[in-house]
Amino acid sequence: MTTMTLPPGPSLPRFAQGAVVLTARLRGMRRMRARYGDAFTVNVPIFGRAVVISDPDEAKQLFTASTDLVENVRPNLGRVLGPGSLFALTGEEHREQRRLLVPPFHGRRLAAHERTIEDETVRETATWPEDRAFPALPSMLRITLNAILRAVFGADGDELADLREMLPAWVAYGSRLLVLPIPKTDLGRWSPWGRLWIARRRYDAIVDRLIDKAAAEDLDRRDDVLALLLQSRYDDGSPMSRAQIADHLLSLLVAGHETTATTLAWAIERLRRHPALLRDLAEEADAGGGALREATITEVQRTRPVIDVVGRHVTADGYRLGRWTLPEGCTVLVAVALMHEDEALFPDPLTFDPSRFLGVRPDLYQWIPFGGGRRRCPGAAFATMEMNVVLRTVLRHFTLMPTTEPGERRHSRGVANAPAKGGVAVVRRRSPEAMPPSTIGTAGARP
Amino acid sequence: MKVQIDAGRCQGHGRCYDLAPGLFGDDDEGFGKVLGDGAVPPEEEQEARRAAANCPERAIRLAEGA
Ligand code: HEM
Ligand code: SF4
């Protein structure tokens, strides 16, 4: 028998540790790291015995491990989004489905989304009040929801209005249900799972209508994900099932909207506390540049990653991960913020300083807000482009007023962390003469 | 040295064109592609190795001495 070597960890009862790690997440993890080093073992609800790592070499090894050794963390969002969701799929099937989802969020099609996002931003920010504090997050949520709806379904219509109304609640259920056991019997329509299933039936009916509509159209002329999936064929020539399509689309909508919006709210929160940077960014946006803005987004994601941990599930007994030998069934959590705060990787790590990324691409195993390896977020290029366009548009139309208030604390919305006050903004509209003409083109889409 | 991408394995993660933009690019659909005929000038061999080592799908082949 292989001897297992797990990192050290506390012997608190499971419940107490769970509370430490998952409710006061970052504080709890910082404390554990101070006590045990960059890797430690905890016993938590949901995942059971979990090894938390934050060394980039070990993370790289985990992210690039073969699928015979590790798979996606269990449970994951797949239980809420459906068995056809990328989150739920494993092995060869995951590979095959994921490949289909690359083209709509990369290359030529990526550039096509820029205009829509700029329009959405202009429309949403038209209602922003001047000289009065308001949280930016609700606006960001509406912009990113519309952006992903348009990318997924193409043109707007009545069905999208229905989805727009029902999806935000879904994200909230999803994050709560992630931690509740799936009941074996139906507990009724007022139980959390019952509510989810009712919402799912409504969603499926809407997607059915959209598919029927699309079938009557010339799909070749459409660039949205739905059109693409309807046209895809398996090797044996068979089309993708409606259930599979519905699971993919829902996953993209849920995974793609809140994460991007909370990161944008953090960007507003950070920028208002760095007046000199704010001035430089406004000048750069007027001059048509973008290098500093790109570096700023990278630094926002380093210092305020909205997802705390990226997890994997060990499927082979005696899996060797760096210094450790892990048993089958063990959960490994890569602690994103702990890695991002490592002094050896980022000197003066707690200082917000975009210049550390000026003209340098981050190392993709040290900077991991999008996870890593085969399961790395497939929407990363899209999200990066989107955040760039939204910020550029805001900077061109408004002067963001600096503040000396202390930074906002992290507030967990379930899946993503948001600034506790929603990223409070105070803005002044710029006079139209002072505004540079819109120049569509170079919103850097990577990483 | 020469580089090649196995299109059947490539999943469009884009590590190759991030790490070695002189050797790789992305196609219209977002998958990796080799620029030119894939011949690697001596001063870029280091980058080619880095790209190959970082491709999560091991889709990049290096032919030494070619
Ligand atoms: C700033 C915005 C975003 C952040 C911070 C983010 C973060 C993440 C993270 C950490 C993962 C897990 C990766 C792993 O397990 O290694 C992930 C997966 C995923 N994301 Fe994103 N994401 C963002 C935007 C998006 C967008 C815009 C989309 C859709 C276009 C999207 C779709 C997905 C999907 C489908 C997965 C599952 C991938 C798989 O399991 O293979 N995300 N994301
Ligand atoms: S790094 Fe590998 S998988 Fe990614 S684009 Fe390049 S060849 Fe394809």
PDB file of all heavy atoms in Angstrom, chain A residues 60 95 99 102-103 106-109 361 364-365 373-374 376 446, chain B residues 7-11 13 15 17-18 26 28-31 54 56-57:
ATOM      1  N   LYS A  60       0.693  24.120 -10.987  1.00  0.00           N
ATOM      2  CA  LYS A  60       0.902  23.809 -12.405  1.00  0.00           C
ATOM      3  C   LYS A  60       0.803  22.300 -12.628  1.00  0.00           C
ATOM      4  O   LYS A  60       0.170  21.841 -13.580  1.00  0.00           O
ATOM      5  CB  LYS A  60       2.271  24.310 -12.845  1.00  0.00           C
ATOM      6  CG  LYS A  60       2.593  23.952 -14.277  1.00  0.00           C
ATOM      7  CD  LYS A  60       3.873  24.605 -14.738  1.00  0.00           C
ATOM      8  CE  LYS A  60       4.113  24.231 -16.195  1.00  0.00           C
ATOM      9  NZ  LYS A  60       5.316  24.867 -16.722  1.00  0.00           N
ATOM     10  N   ARG A  95     -13.404  17.169 -23.254  1.00  0.00           N
ATOM     11  CA  ARG A  95     -12.518  17.667 -24.300  1.00  0.00           C
ATOM     12  C   ARG A  95     -13.284  18.011 -25.573  1.00  0.00           C
ATOM     13  O   ARG A  95     -13.150  19.075 -26.157  1.00  0.00           O
ATOM     14  CB  ARG A  95     -11.528  16.560 -24.634  1.00  0.00           C
ATOM     15  CG  ARG A  95     -10.103  16.934 -24.645  1.00  0.00           C
ATOM     16  CD  ARG A  95      -9.299  15.724 -25.096  1.00  0.00           C
ATOM     17  NE  ARG A  95      -9.122  15.760 -26.535  1.00  0.00           N
ATOM     18  CZ  ARG A  95      -8.212  16.510 -27.117  1.00  0.00           C
ATOM     19  NH1 ARG A  95      -7.392  17.239 -26.414  1.00  0.00           N
ATOM     20  NH2 ARG A  95      -8.117  16.548 -28.432  1.00  0.00           N
ATOM     21  N   ARG A  99     -14.057  21.878 -27.017  1.00  0.00           N
ATOM     22  CA  ARG A  99     -13.515  22.311 -28.295  1.00  0.00           C
ATOM     23  C   ARG A  99     -14.565  23.075 -29.105  1.00  0.00           C
ATOM     24  O   ARG A  99     -14.264  24.040 -29.799  1.00  0.00           O
ATOM     25  CB  ARG A  99     -13.063  21.076 -29.067  1.00  0.00           C
ATOM     26  CG  ARG A  99     -11.861  21.281 -29.912  1.00  0.00           C
ATOM     27  CD  ARG A  99     -11.524  19.989 -30.614  1.00  0.00           C
ATOM     28  NE  ARG A  99     -11.359  20.272 -32.024  1.00  0.00           N
ATOM     29  CZ  ARG A  99     -10.237  20.740 -32.539  1.00  0.00           C
ATOM     30  NH1 ARG A  99      -9.181  20.931 -31.784  1.00  0.00           N
ATOM     31  NH2 ARG A  99     -10.157  21.016 -33.816  1.00  0.00           N
ATOM     32  N   VAL A 102     -14.836  26.848 -28.140  1.00  0.00           N
ATOM     33  CA  VAL A 102     -13.721  27.788 -28.342  1.00  0.00           C
ATOM     34  C   VAL A 102     -14.061  28.860 -29.383  1.00  0.00           C
ATOM     35  O   VAL A 102     -13.972  30.049 -29.090  1.00  0.00           O
ATOM     36  CB  VAL A 102     -12.410  27.053 -28.726  1.00  0.00           C
ATOM     37  CG1 VAL A 102     -11.333  28.040 -29.131  1.00  0.00           C
ATOM     38  CG2 VAL A 102     -11.927  26.198 -27.563  1.00  0.00           C
ATOM     39  N   PRO A 103     -14.476  28.470 -30.584  1.00  0.00           N
ATOM     40  CA  PRO A 103     -14.651  29.493 -31.635  1.00  0.00           C
ATOM     41  C   PRO A 103     -15.554  30.669 -31.278  1.00  0.00           C
ATOM     42  O   PRO A 103     -15.212  31.808 -31.585  1.00  0.00           O
ATOM     43  CB  PRO A 103     -15.185  28.699 -32.822  1.00  0.00           C
ATOM     44  CG  PRO A 103     -14.675  27.315 -32.588  1.00  0.00           C
ATOM     45  CD  PRO A 103     -14.716  27.122 -31.096  1.00  0.00           C
ATOM     46  N   HIS A 106     -13.465  33.357 -29.277  1.00  0.00           N
ATOM     47  CA  HIS A 106     -12.088  33.663 -29.672  1.00  0.00           C
ATOM     48  C   HIS A 106     -12.064  34.126 -31.126  1.00  0.00           C
ATOM     49  O   HIS A 106     -13.065  34.105 -31.810  1.00  0.00           O
ATOM     50  CB  HIS A 106     -11.198  32.424 -29.525  1.00  0.00           C
ATOM     51  CG  HIS A 106     -11.051  31.983 -28.106  1.00  0.00           C
ATOM     52  ND1 HIS A 106     -11.986  31.188 -27.491  1.00  0.00           N
ATOM     53  CD2 HIS A 106     -10.096  32.232 -27.182  1.00  0.00           C
ATOM     54  CE1 HIS A 106     -11.623  30.970 -26.243  1.00  0.00           C
ATOM     55  NE2 HIS A 106     -10.484  31.596 -26.019  1.00  0.00           N
ATOM     56  N   GLY A 107     -10.852  34.502 -31.558  1.00  0.00           N
ATOM     57  CA  GLY A 107     -10.619  34.788 -32.972  1.00  0.00           C
ATOM     58  C   GLY A 107     -11.547  35.857 -33.533  1.00  0.00           C
ATOM     59  O   GLY A 107     -11.897  36.825 -32.869  1.00  0.00           O
ATOM     60  N   ARG A 108     -11.979  35.619 -34.741  1.00  0.00           N
ATOM     61  CA  ARG A 108     -12.803  36.581 -35.470  1.00  0.00           C
ATOM     62  C   ARG A 108     -14.070  36.963 -34.717  1.00  0.00           C
ATOM     63  O   ARG A 108     -14.484  38.115 -34.667  1.00  0.00           O
ATOM     64  CB  ARG A 108     -13.144  35.916 -36.808  1.00  0.00           C
ATOM     65  CG  ARG A 108     -14.281  36.485 -37.581  1.00  0.00           C
ATOM     66  CD  ARG A 108     -14.413  35.763 -38.922  1.00  0.00           C
ATOM     67  NE  ARG A 108     -14.904  34.385 -38.809  1.00  0.00           N
ATOM     68  CZ  ARG A 108     -16.180  34.067 -38.583  1.00  0.00           C
ATOM     69  NH1 ARG A 108     -17.075  34.995 -38.422  1.00  0.00           N
ATOM     70  NH2 ARG A 108     -16.552  32.809 -38.511  1.00  0.00           N
ATOM     71  N   ARG A 109     -14.737  35.975 -34.097  1.00  0.00           N
ATOM     72  CA  ARG A 109     -16.020  36.259 -33.451  1.00  0.00           C
ATOM     73  C   ARG A 109     -15.878  37.147 -32.219  1.00  0.00           C
ATOM     74  O   ARG A 109     -16.786  37.877 -31.863  1.00  0.00           O
ATOM     75  CB  ARG A 109     -16.722  34.960 -33.077  1.00  0.00           C
ATOM     76  CG  ARG A 109     -17.212  34.212 -34.298  1.00  0.00           C
ATOM     77  CD  ARG A 109     -18.073  33.052 -33.911  1.00  0.00           C
ATOM     78  NE  ARG A 109     -18.506  32.287 -35.069  1.00  0.00           N
ATOM     79  CZ  ARG A 109     -17.783  31.366 -35.673  1.00  0.00           C
ATOM     80  NH1 ARG A 109     -16.571  31.109 -35.233  1.00  0.00           N
ATOM     81  NH2 ARG A 109     -18.241  30.707 -36.709  1.00  0.00           N
ATOM     82  N   ARG A 361       3.128  39.963 -19.847  1.00  0.00           N
ATOM     83  CA  ARG A 361       2.006  39.056 -19.649  1.00  0.00           C
ATOM     84  C   ARG A 361       2.218  38.323 -18.342  1.00  0.00           C
ATOM     85  O   ARG A 361       3.317  37.891 -18.054  1.00  0.00           O
ATOM     86  CB  ARG A 361       1.988  38.011 -20.774  1.00  0.00           C
ATOM     87  CG  ARG A 361       1.554  38.574 -22.087  1.00  0.00           C
ATOM     88  CD  ARG A 361       0.176  38.024 -22.454  1.00  0.00           C
ATOM     89  NE  ARG A 361      -0.397  38.805 -23.538  1.00  0.00           N
ATOM     90  CZ  ARG A 361      -0.040  38.642 -24.815  1.00  0.00           C
ATOM     91  NH1 ARG A 361       0.857  37.741 -25.139  1.00  0.00           N
ATOM     92  NH2 ARG A 361      -0.578  39.378 -25.746  1.00  0.00           N
ATOM     93  N   LEU A 364       0.944  32.283 -16.362  1.00  0.00           N
ATOM     94  CA  LEU A 364      -0.384  31.693 -16.202  1.00  0.00           C
ATOM     95  C   LEU A 364      -0.484  30.608 -15.127  1.00  0.00           C
ATOM     96  O   LEU A 364      -1.546  30.047 -14.916  1.00  0.00           O
ATOM     97  CB  LEU A 364      -0.913  31.182 -17.529  1.00  0.00           C
ATOM     98  CG  LEU A 364      -1.263  32.298 -18.518  1.00  0.00           C
ATOM     99  CD1 LEU A 364      -1.935  31.747 -19.750  1.00  0.00           C
ATOM    100  CD2 LEU A 364      -2.150  33.368 -17.885  1.00  0.00           C
ATOM    101  N   TYR A 365       0.607  30.323 -14.435  1.00  0.00           N
ATOM    102  CA  TYR A 365       0.477  29.436 -13.277  1.00  0.00           C
ATOM    103  C   TYR A 365       0.753  30.186 -11.975  1.00  0.00           C
ATOM    104  O   TYR A 365       0.735  29.608 -10.905  1.00  0.00           O
ATOM    105  CB  TYR A 365       1.374  28.209 -13.423  1.00  0.00           C
ATOM    106  CG  TYR A 365       0.907  27.343 -14.571  1.00  0.00           C
ATOM    107  CD1 TYR A 365       1.594  27.333 -15.771  1.00  0.00           C
ATOM    108  CD2 TYR A 365      -0.262  26.597 -14.462  1.00  0.00           C
ATOM    109  CE1 TYR A 365       1.132  26.579 -16.843  1.00  0.00           C
ATOM    110  CE2 TYR A 365      -0.729  25.846 -15.523  1.00  0.00           C
ATOM    111  CZ  TYR A 365      -0.030  25.832 -16.714  1.00  0.00           C
ATOM    112  OH  TYR A 365      -0.496  25.099 -17.774  1.00  0.00           O
ATOM    113  N   GLY A 373      -4.920  25.164 -16.823  1.00  0.00           N
ATOM    114  CA  GLY A 373      -4.867  23.883 -17.533  1.00  0.00           C
ATOM    115  C   GLY A 373      -6.069  23.654 -18.420  1.00  0.00           C
ATOM    116  O   GLY A 373      -6.650  24.582 -18.962  1.00  0.00           O
ATOM    117  N   ARG A 374      -6.446  22.372 -18.555  1.00  0.00           N
ATOM    118  CA  ARG A 374      -7.517  21.989 -19.480  1.00  0.00           C
ATOM    119  C   ARG A 374      -8.868  22.579 -19.124  1.00  0.00           C
ATOM    120  O   ARG A 374      -9.747  22.672 -19.960  1.00  0.00           O
ATOM    121  CB  ARG A 374      -7.713  20.490 -19.402  1.00  0.00           C
ATOM    122  CG  ARG A 374      -6.789  19.773 -20.257  1.00  0.00           C
ATOM    123  CD  ARG A 374      -7.208  18.335 -20.343  1.00  0.00           C
ATOM    124  NE  ARG A 374      -6.065  17.661 -20.863  1.00  0.00           N
ATOM    125  CZ  ARG A 374      -5.054  17.290 -20.104  1.00  0.00           C
ATOM    126  NH1 ARG A 374      -5.092  17.455 -18.803  1.00  0.00           N
ATOM    127  NH2 ARG A 374      -4.014  16.749 -20.658  1.00  0.00           N
ATOM    128  N   ARG A 376      -9.192  25.556 -17.617  1.00  0.00           N
ATOM    129  CA  ARG A 376      -9.112  26.992 -17.419  1.00  0.00           C
ATOM    130  C   ARG A 376     -10.317  27.639 -18.085  1.00  0.00           C
ATOM    131  O   ARG A 376     -10.791  27.184 -19.127  1.00  0.00           O
ATOM    132  CB  ARG A 376      -7.818  27.531 -18.035  1.00  0.00           C
ATOM    133  CG  ARG A 376      -7.619  29.022 -17.795  1.00  0.00           C
ATOM    134  CD  ARG A 376      -6.236  29.457 -18.290  1.00  0.00           C
ATOM    135  NE  ARG A 376      -5.935  30.818 -17.892  1.00  0.00           N
ATOM    136  CZ  ARG A 376      -6.068  31.876 -18.697  1.00  0.00           C
ATOM    137  NH1 ARG A 376      -6.487  31.722 -19.938  1.00  0.00           N
ATOM    138  NH2 ARG A 376      -5.785  33.082 -18.249  1.00  0.00           N
ATOM    139  N   ARG A 446      -6.510  39.283 -24.919  1.00  0.00           N
ATOM    140  CA  ARG A 446      -5.881  38.259 -24.075  1.00  0.00           C
ATOM    141  C   ARG A 446      -5.535  38.863 -22.751  1.00  0.00           C
ATOM    142  O   ARG A 446      -5.475  40.065 -22.635  1.00  0.00           O
ATOM    143  CB  ARG A 446      -4.620  37.765 -24.775  1.00  0.00           C
ATOM    144  CG  ARG A 446      -5.000  36.771 -25.855  1.00  0.00           C
ATOM    145  CD  ARG A 446      -3.801  36.524 -26.730  1.00  0.00           C
ATOM    146  NE  ARG A 446      -4.265  36.255 -28.075  1.00  0.00           N
ATOM    147  CZ  ARG A 446      -3.572  36.609 -29.151  1.00  0.00           C
ATOM    148  NH1 ARG A 446      -2.444  37.266 -29.040  1.00  0.00           N
ATOM    149  NH2 ARG A 446      -4.016  36.324 -30.321  1.00  0.00           N
TER     150      ARG A 446
ATOM    151  N   ALA B   7      -3.459  19.465 -34.831  1.00  0.00           N
ATOM    152  CA  ALA B   7      -4.750  20.170 -34.808  1.00  0.00           C
ATOM    153  C   ALA B   7      -5.828  19.343 -34.117  1.00  0.00           C
ATOM    154  O   ALA B   7      -6.766  19.884 -33.540  1.00  0.00           O
ATOM    155  CB  ALA B   7      -5.183  20.513 -36.230  1.00  0.00           C
ATOM    156  N   GLY B   8      -5.684  18.044 -34.150  1.00  0.00           N
ATOM    157  CA  GLY B   8      -6.679  17.180 -33.496  1.00  0.00           C
ATOM    158  C   GLY B   8      -6.648  17.319 -31.984  1.00  0.00           C
ATOM    159  O   GLY B   8      -7.648  17.112 -31.315  1.00  0.00           O
ATOM    160  N   ARG B   9      -5.494  17.671 -31.443  1.00  0.00           N
ATOM    161  CA  ARG B   9      -5.384  17.794 -29.988  1.00  0.00           C
ATOM    162  C   ARG B   9      -5.589  19.223 -29.497  1.00  0.00           C
ATOM    163  O   ARG B   9      -5.994  19.430 -28.365  1.00  0.00           O
ATOM    164  CB  ARG B   9      -3.995  17.340 -29.524  1.00  0.00           C
ATOM    165  CG  ARG B   9      -3.672  15.893 -29.818  1.00  0.00           C
ATOM    166  CD  ARG B   9      -2.318  15.537 -29.212  1.00  0.00           C
ATOM    167  NE  ARG B   9      -2.419  15.467 -27.762  1.00  0.00           N
ATOM    168  CZ  ARG B   9      -2.645  14.343 -27.099  1.00  0.00           C
ATOM    169  NH1 ARG B   9      -2.788  13.215 -27.746  1.00  0.00           N
ATOM    170  NH2 ARG B   9      -2.721  14.350 -25.791  1.00  0.00           N
ATOM    171  N   CYS B  10      -5.262  20.195 -30.348  1.00  0.00           N
ATOM    172  CA  CYS B  10      -5.307  21.601 -29.914  1.00  0.00           C
ATOM    173  C   CYS B  10      -6.701  21.968 -29.423  1.00  0.00           C
ATOM    174  O   CYS B  10      -7.703  21.656 -30.044  1.00  0.00           O
ATOM    175  CB  CYS B  10      -4.915  22.529 -31.065  1.00  0.00           C
ATOM    176  SG  CYS B  10      -5.131  24.261 -30.640  1.00  0.00           S
ATOM    177  N   GLN B  11      -6.745  22.620 -28.276  1.00  0.00           N
ATOM    178  CA  GLN B  11      -8.021  23.025 -27.701  1.00  0.00           C
ATOM    179  C   GLN B  11      -8.135  24.543 -27.622  1.00  0.00           C
ATOM    180  O   GLN B  11      -8.982  25.066 -26.893  1.00  0.00           O
ATOM    181  CB  GLN B  11      -8.159  22.461 -26.283  1.00  0.00           C
ATOM    182  CG  GLN B  11      -8.394  20.979 -26.234  1.00  0.00           C
ATOM    183  CD  GLN B  11      -9.878  20.650 -26.348  1.00  0.00           C
ATOM    184  OE1 GLN B  11     -10.497  20.935 -27.377  1.00  0.00           O
ATOM    185  NE2 GLN B  11     -10.453  20.091 -25.329  1.00  0.00           N
ATOM    186  N   HIS B  13      -6.222  26.767 -26.122  1.00  0.00           N
ATOM    187  CA  HIS B  13      -5.919  27.417 -24.840  1.00  0.00           C
ATOM    188  C   HIS B  13      -5.038  28.645 -25.018  1.00  0.00           C
ATOM    189  O   HIS B  13      -4.931  29.458 -24.114  1.00  0.00           O
ATOM    190  CB  HIS B  13      -5.198  26.457 -23.891  1.00  0.00           C
ATOM    191  CG  HIS B  13      -6.024  25.297 -23.458  1.00  0.00           C
ATOM    192  ND1 HIS B  13      -7.115  25.435 -22.647  1.00  0.00           N
ATOM    193  CD2 HIS B  13      -5.918  23.979 -23.731  1.00  0.00           C
ATOM    194  CE1 HIS B  13      -7.642  24.227 -22.436  1.00  0.00           C
ATOM    195  NE2 HIS B  13      -6.933  23.342 -23.075  1.00  0.00           N
ATOM    196  N   ARG B  15      -1.787  29.112 -25.043  1.00  0.00           N
ATOM    197  CA  ARG B  15      -0.490  29.292 -24.386  1.00  0.00           C
ATOM    198  C   ARG B  15       0.603  29.503 -25.421  1.00  0.00           C
ATOM    199  O   ARG B  15       1.523  30.267 -25.211  1.00  0.00           O
ATOM    200  CB  ARG B  15      -0.079  28.064 -23.580  1.00  0.00           C
ATOM    201  CG  ARG B  15      -0.902  27.729 -22.425  1.00  0.00           C
ATOM    202  CD  ARG B  15      -1.169  28.870 -21.507  1.00  0.00           C
ATOM    203  NE  ARG B  15      -1.992  28.313 -20.458  1.00  0.00           N
ATOM    204  CZ  ARG B  15      -3.288  28.146 -20.601  1.00  0.00           C
ATOM    205  NH1 ARG B  15      -3.904  28.618 -21.656  1.00  0.00           N
ATOM    206  NH2 ARG B  15      -3.986  27.572 -19.658  1.00  0.00           N
ATOM    207  N   TYR B  17       0.681  30.920 -28.455  1.00  0.00           N
ATOM    208  CA  TYR B  17       0.865  32.255 -29.020  1.00  0.00           C
ATOM    209  C   TYR B  17       1.094  33.330 -27.972  1.00  0.00           C
ATOM    210  O   TYR B  17       1.592  34.392 -28.284  1.00  0.00           O
ATOM    211  CB  TYR B  17      -0.203  32.634 -30.048  1.00  0.00           C
ATOM    212  CG  TYR B  17      -1.644  32.395 -29.691  1.00  0.00           C
ATOM    213  CD1 TYR B  17      -2.344  33.321 -28.941  1.00  0.00           C
ATOM    214  CD2 TYR B  17      -2.302  31.271 -30.165  1.00  0.00           C
ATOM    215  CE1 TYR B  17      -3.688  33.114 -28.654  1.00  0.00           C
ATOM    216  CE2 TYR B  17      -3.644  31.054 -29.891  1.00  0.00           C
ATOM    217  CZ  TYR B  17      -4.336  31.985 -29.124  1.00  0.00           C
ATOM    218  OH  TYR B  17      -5.666  31.788 -28.845  1.00  0.00           O
ATOM    219  N   ASP B  18       0.784  33.033 -26.723  1.00  0.00           N
ATOM    220  CA  ASP B  18       1.162  33.972 -25.658  1.00  0.00           C
ATOM    221  C   ASP B  18       2.640  33.877 -25.346  1.00  0.00           C
ATOM    222  O   ASP B  18       3.302  34.873 -25.117  1.00  0.00           O
ATOM    223  CB  ASP B  18       0.374  33.675 -24.375  1.00  0.00           C
ATOM    224  CG  ASP B  18      -0.984  34.347 -24.381  1.00  0.00           C
ATOM    225  OD1 ASP B  18      -1.216  35.171 -25.290  1.00  0.00           O
ATOM    226  OD2 ASP B  18      -1.789  34.055 -23.498  1.00  0.00           O
ATOM    227  N   ASP B  26      -3.010  32.720 -33.737  1.00  0.00           N
ATOM    228  CA  ASP B  26      -4.291  32.022 -33.630  1.00  0.00           C
ATOM    229  C   ASP B  26      -5.031  32.154 -34.946  1.00  0.00           C
ATOM    230  O   ASP B  26      -4.874  33.136 -35.660  1.00  0.00           O
ATOM    231  CB  ASP B  26      -5.123  32.556 -32.457  1.00  0.00           C
ATOM    232  CG  ASP B  26      -5.391  34.044 -32.541  1.00  0.00           C
ATOM    233  OD1 ASP B  26      -4.633  34.758 -33.235  1.00  0.00           O
ATOM    234  OD2 ASP B  26      -6.348  34.510 -31.913  1.00  0.00           O
ATOM    235  N   ASP B  28      -8.679  32.008 -37.301  1.00  0.00           N
ATOM    236  CA  ASP B  28      -9.966  32.685 -37.235  1.00  0.00           C
ATOM    237  C   ASP B  28     -10.871  32.186 -36.122  1.00  0.00           C
ATOM    238  O   ASP B  28     -11.718  32.907 -35.600  1.00  0.00           O
ATOM    239  CB  ASP B  28     -10.700  32.402 -38.550  1.00  0.00           C
ATOM    240  CG  ASP B  28     -10.796  33.648 -39.368  1.00  0.00           C
ATOM    241  OD1 ASP B  28     -10.040  34.588 -39.072  1.00  0.00           O
ATOM    242  OD2 ASP B  28     -11.630  33.678 -40.288  1.00  0.00           O
ATOM    243  N   GLU B  29     -10.730  30.923 -35.800  1.00  0.00           N
ATOM    244  CA  GLU B  29     -11.610  30.287 -34.833  1.00  0.00           C
ATOM    245  C   GLU B  29     -11.027  30.296 -33.434  1.00  0.00           C
ATOM    246  O   GLU B  29     -11.661  29.832 -32.493  1.00  0.00           O
ATOM    247  CB  GLU B  29     -11.841  28.823 -35.226  1.00  0.00           C
ATOM    248  CG  GLU B  29     -12.304  28.632 -36.640  1.00  0.00           C
ATOM    249  CD  GLU B  29     -13.810  28.714 -36.723  1.00  0.00           C
ATOM    250  OE1 GLU B  29     -14.446  27.687 -36.514  1.00  0.00           O
ATOM    251  OE2 GLU B  29     -14.340  29.810 -36.958  1.00  0.00           O
ATOM    252  N   GLY B  30      -9.771  30.753 -33.288  1.00  0.00           N
ATOM    253  CA  GLY B  30      -9.174  30.805 -31.967  1.00  0.00           C
ATOM    254  C   GLY B  30      -8.269  29.627 -31.639  1.00  0.00           C
ATOM    255  O   GLY B  30      -7.768  29.527 -30.529  1.00  0.00           O
ATOM    256  N   PHE B  31      -8.045  28.732 -32.583  1.00  0.00           N
ATOM    257  CA  PHE B  31      -7.119  27.632 -32.319  1.00  0.00           C
ATOM    258  C   PHE B  31      -5.697  28.068 -32.674  1.00  0.00           C
ATOM    259  O   PHE B  31      -5.500  29.016 -33.435  1.00  0.00           O
ATOM    260  CB  PHE B  31      -7.539  26.381 -33.102  1.00  0.00           C
ATOM    261  CG  PHE B  31      -8.849  25.815 -32.619  1.00  0.00           C
ATOM    262  CD1 PHE B  31     -10.032  26.070 -33.306  1.00  0.00           C
ATOM    263  CD2 PHE B  31      -8.904  25.070 -31.453  1.00  0.00           C
ATOM    264  CE1 PHE B  31     -11.245  25.586 -32.846  1.00  0.00           C
ATOM    265  CE2 PHE B  31     -10.117  24.579 -30.981  1.00  0.00           C
ATOM    266  CZ  PHE B  31     -11.284  24.832 -31.668  1.00  0.00           C
ATOM    267  N   ASN B  54       4.262  24.126 -22.041  1.00  0.00           N
ATOM    268  CA  ASN B  54       3.105  24.728 -21.398  1.00  0.00           C
ATOM    269  C   ASN B  54       1.780  24.437 -22.082  1.00  0.00           C
ATOM    270  O   ASN B  54       0.736  24.854 -21.601  1.00  0.00           O
ATOM    271  CB  ASN B  54       3.297  26.239 -21.276  1.00  0.00           C
ATOM    272  CG  ASN B  54       4.166  26.574 -20.085  1.00  0.00           C
ATOM    273  OD1 ASN B  54       3.731  26.503 -18.949  1.00  0.00           O
ATOM    274  ND2 ASN B  54       5.432  26.870 -20.337  1.00  0.00           N
ATOM    275  N   PRO B  56      -1.344  22.682 -22.518  1.00  0.00           N
ATOM    276  CA  PRO B  56      -2.008  21.724 -21.634  1.00  0.00           C
ATOM    277  C   PRO B  56      -2.406  20.431 -22.351  1.00  0.00           C
ATOM    278  O   PRO B  56      -2.684  19.429 -21.710  1.00  0.00           O
ATOM    279  CB  PRO B  56      -3.254  22.468 -21.154  1.00  0.00           C
ATOM    280  CG  PRO B  56      -3.049  23.890 -21.506  1.00  0.00           C
ATOM    281  CD  PRO B  56      -2.092  23.932 -22.654  1.00  0.00           C
ATOM    282  N   GLU B  57      -2.465  20.466 -23.676  1.00  0.00           N
ATOM    283  CA  GLU B  57      -2.897  19.282 -24.410  1.00  0.00           C
ATOM    284  C   GLU B  57      -1.711  18.512 -24.990  1.00  0.00           C
ATOM    285  O   GLU B  57      -1.904  17.531 -25.701  1.00  0.00           O
ATOM    286  CB  GLU B  57      -3.834  19.693 -25.562  1.00  0.00           C
ATOM    287  CG  GLU B  57      -4.983  20.585 -25.153  1.00  0.00           C
ATOM    288  CD  GLU B  57      -5.936  19.891 -24.192  1.00  0.00           C
ATOM    289  OE1 GLU B  57      -6.022  18.656 -24.229  1.00  0.00           O
ATOM    290  OE2 GLU B  57      -6.572  20.604 -23.378  1.00  0.00           O
TER     291      GLU B  57
END
